[in-house]
Amino acid sequence: MKIKIYGIMLCLGVIGLFTSCEKDLDQYSGTDYIRFIPDFTEDSLDYCFGLAGKTDVDRIGIEVKISGEVTAYDRDYSLRVNTASTAQEGVHFNIPEQNCKIRANHVTDTLWIEILNQPELKNKQVYLQLDLVENENFRLCFSDNNSCKVYLTDQVGWPEWWDEWHETDGLGKYSEKKYRLFIQVSGIADLGAVEYPEKREAILKFKYYLEEEADNGNVILDEDNRPMTVAMYG
């Protein structure tokens, strides 16, 4: 019986904690809270340098939101790299300290994470988890929003949309090198998600790029050491 009573009291305590958080968030109580508001539906973000059209460096932004007082001055918040992370600071990512702040008169702000490509990422992915930490400016409330999780890779595979039509009438023969360059030139990684007019425009833009480079004496070779070509006429 004591175990059952203890379990009930623990549940009531947890409910009371979250109820208290909700009340503090709905009505300002003198305590300022901070949390991540990810712009993705899953509990993590998958980032691929190749699919983003990047070769060396990029940055991603994670939205941070406060509940409480909006001040006329900047306020710093604190982060730590979770020990479960396999990504290494200075090797796979950097976070400039000046980014870790809520600017004056802002309820939301963006944490910018600089991410760095490495040769090893063509064969694997690394994991980065950043945890918010309470400091003199902000407390934490909801555990589901205290961390942001990012998987980094440079692995690029043959996409399903690059089908027989593309082989004969679209981009032509598939190669990873061609796919990566196409993304860099067109800014599109998924042609299966666009309508035909936009698809045709992107493919021809890539074709004309290859032709212009060749005219300038820079013949771009494919993985078979032959000139890279596009099948589409136009």
Side-chain angles (χ1 to χ4, degrees):
M1 181 62 69
K2 288 182 180 180
I3 295 176
K4 292 182 180 180
I5 293 174
Y6 175 77
I8 294 172
M9 291 178 65
L10 178 60
C11 291
L12 290 175
V14 172
I15 293 172
L17 172 63
F18 281 97
T19 302
S20 174
C21 279
E22 290 173 352
K23 287 181 178 178
D24 285 341
L25 294 177
D26 292 339
Q27 183 176 3
Y28 182 57
S29 64
T31 302
D32 297 324
Y33 295 102
I34 190 167
R35 62 190 187 275
F36 285 116
I37 304 181
D39 59 355
F40 37 88
T41 55
E42 303 296 333
D43 66 351
S44 63
L45 171 66
D46 293 328
Y47 177 93
C48 176
F49 283 93
L51 295 181
K54 305 294 182 178
T55 57
D56 298 313
V57 180
D58 199 3
R59 67 173 190 165
I60 55 177
I62 306 294
E63 190 175 23
V64 181
K65 184 174 183 179
I66 64 168
S67 299
E69 184 180 10
V70 177
T71 63
Y73 52 87
D74 296 348
R75 286 178 291 175
D76 295 333
Y77 58 88
S78 299
L79 291 172
R80 68 182 169 207
V81 179
N82 192 285
T83 56
S85 300
T86 57
Q88 302 176 49
E89 189 167 6
V91 177
H92 303 110
F93 73 96
N94 286 311
I95 303 175
E97 290 185 6
Q98 61 268 26
N99 278 338
C100 299
K101 67 176 56 181
I102 301 295
R103 289 170 292 170
N105 302 312
H106 279 65
V107 174
T108 61
D109 220 318
T110 303
L111 169 66
W112 291 105
I113 306 171
E114 181 186 56
I115 50 178
L116 313 173
N117 200 358
Q118 300 294 342
E120 66 189 80
L121 296 183
K122 284 186 170 57
N123 301 309
K124 70 175 186 179
Q125 66 178 11
V126 294
Y127 169 69
L128 171 63
Q129 178 176 328
L130 297 174
D131 300 330
L132 289 167
V133 180
E134 292 187 353
N135 64 8
E136 66 276 10
N137 295 319
F138 301 105
R139 292 183 59 192
L140 306 181
C141 194
F142 295 110
S143 58
D144 289 346
N145 299 102
N146 290 344
S147 301
C148 67
K149 305 170 185 178
V150 183
Y151 289 90
L152 303 176
T153 188
D154 194 22
Q155 294 174 302
V156 173
W158 192 335
E160 292 183 0
W161 55 261
W162 198 315
D163 53 16
E164 184 178 350
W165 179 86
H166 271 286
E167 293 274 326
T168 57
D169 298 295
L171 283 167
K173 181 181 178 182
Y174 172 82
S175 73
E176 182 178 321
K177 182 177 181 179
K178 179 190 284 189
Y179 186 25
R180 286 178 182 273
L181 185 58
F182 169 75
I183 295 171
Q184 293 175 33
V185 173
S186 69
I188 301 175
D190 184 3
L191 282 181
V194 300
E195 298 296 329
Y196 180 77
E198 183 181 356
K199 181 187 302 183
R200 177 177 172 80
E201 180 181 358
I203 294 173
L204 289 179
K205 179 180 180 179
F206 180 55
K207 179 177 182 177
Y208 299 152
Y209 167 81
L210 295 176
E211 292 176 349
E212 183 176 349
E213 288 295 302
D215 291 341
N216 291 330
N218 179 33
V219 177
I220 298 176
L221 301 180
D222 212 331
E223 293 176 356
D224 58 3
N225 288 321
R226 296 180 179 180
M228 191 176 291
T229 60
V230 170
M232 179 173 282
Y233 289 101

